[in-house]
Amino acid sequence: QVQLGESGGGLVQAGGSLRLSCAASGRTFNDYNSAWFRQTPEKERELVAVIRWIDSRTYYTDSVKGRFTISREVGKNMLYLQMNKLKPEDTAVYYCAAGAPRSTNWPTTDIRDFSLWGQGTQVTVSS
């Protein structure tokens, strides 16, 4: 069984940067699609970015395009989210997630396609 754990959250001023990391333990998750989601008390959990297992193709929600970058390090079983030009509206708990690919359709954006979740890390962006 794969377990995921996030790190790297914190408090940053608007315009700043943070890098989130997600470590997988138990077994490799390199054959899983992997993603970052975020959630605030006011909103449902939403997809931020996803990376496809077979070719590292990526997809981003519109609000983070050009500012965030999802990547992975296959040999180390790690997933990352580089967040630049942060805005107060990026404030949320960020979760890494992984799921076995169910089809060849892309992008995989349905939260139900992700069965493995980390515990979340808080990102707070001050104005």
Side-chain angles (χ1 to χ4, degrees):
Q1 181 71 13
V2 180
Q3 293 182 321
L4 306 180
E6 304 94 337
S7 62
L11 173 64
V12 64
Q13 289 188 333
S17 298
L18 281 175
R19 188 194 196 203
L20 304 184
S21 300
C22 177
S25 61
R27 68 169 283 268
T28 179
F29 74 148
N30 295 324
D31 53 350
Y32 284 31
N33 292 326
S34 304
W36 290 94
F37 286 77
R38 64 187 178 187
Q39 188 171 21
T40 66
E42 298 79 23
K43 295 183 181 180
E44 294 183 348
R45 195 169 298 189
E46 65 168 353
L47 176 73
V48 175
V50 58
I51 187 166
R52 190 158 67 176
W53 74 277
I54 195 168
D55 57 5
S56 294
R57 187 174 180 181
T58 59
Y59 171 84
Y60 300 89
T61 193
D62 285 346
S63 62
V64 308
K65 284 181 181 176
R67 301 188 298 123
F68 290 12
T69 302
I70 187 172
S71 63
R72 61 180 188 160
E73 202 165 358
V74 172
K76 294 186 177 181
N77 232 14
M78 295 290 295
L79 180 71
Y80 304 101
L81 184 68
Q82 178 66 42
M83 306 186 293
N84 299 328
K85 301 179 181 179
L86 282 160
K87 304 175 181 180
E89 50 264 44
D90 295 318
T91 295
V93 177
Y94 283 71
Y95 298 89
C96 69
R102 295 185 180 185
S103 73
T104 58
N105 294 336
W106 183 258
T108 298
T109 61
D110 192 332
I111 194 170
R112 295 170 294 182
D113 288 334
F114 297 91
S115 57
L116 302 173
W117 292 88
Q119 79 286 355
T121 185
Q122 177 70 46
V123 171
T124 303
V125 184
S126 63
S127 58

